[in-house]
Amino acid sequence: MRKPVIAGNWKMYKTIGEAVAFVEKLKPSVERAEHCEVVVGPPFTALRAVADAARGSKIAVAAQDLHWNKQGAHTGNVSPSMLLDAGCTHVIIGHSERRHDHGETDHQVNLKLKAALAAGLVPIVCVGETLEEREAGATDRVLERQFLGGFAGLTPSEFSRIIIAYEPVWAIGTGRTATPEMAAASHAVLRKLASKEFGEGNAAALRILYGGSVKAENIGKLMAQEEIDGALVGGASLDADSFLAIVNYPRN
Ligand code: 13P
């Protein structure tokens, strides 16, 4: 039985004050939420304050990126130990916005992933195809390339600590959600790769989140898919009520 994860990626939104107010509002409402893990991903500047506000609650804190080196001359970057120091337990790696805005490669995703694991952070690794790739029928091939490149050289035990987020690029911020069936089919491709590379047990336990225009109105149908183990939510995670409605997705 895989415990679902509902994670919010706040991207480049929220001041420290706004971020803390969000957590204070969400905190009491998720205290009894046993059905899923709840993670929020503030910008770097708000990590410490959010971690302090979330302390002792069910809310875990994710950074949105990290550098693979322990320290060094890397202007603008943040190391794994800095994230731990700021109170993070999770880190998002390889988001499509980083791949596209910053030219991040599968190899760099792999370096970041290994550094995160070595530091004891839980990586949420993003993969997903562009519209062009989907229309060219290349979705499965792209997922395979991202999987094999991103997860190269991991041991099965390292792999067992990873969460994957399938985020088709064409569904991010567009209001155009993948249908639950489309998402489930891509999740199945990823799970099959996981089984081949890291063993059946690890594949069965792997949590694969869907991301791309998830909202309170569509989360129920997405979560009804056996293959979908949660969501990585952008826009709809910015408002505490909207995020809470997603955390409390319809269950039977
Ligand atoms: P939206 O939910 O705004 O489409 O963003 C998804 C996303 O990129 C989460 O990482």
Side-chain angles (χ1 to χ4, degrees), residues 66 68 93 102-113 149:
L66 84 174
W68 53 86
I93 297 176
H102 301 273
E104 208 166 287
T105 63
D106 292 327
H107 177 61
Q108 288 171 335
V109 168
N110 185 245
L111 292 173
K112 291 179 179 198
L113 176 55

Side-chain angles (χ1 to χ4, degrees), residues 9 11 95-97 126 167 171-174 211-214 232-236:
N9 174 10
K11 308 190 179 185
H95 192 279
S96 68
E97 285 149 18
C126 304
E167 300 207 314
I172 296 177
T174 57
S213 298
V214 172
L232 183 56
V233 188

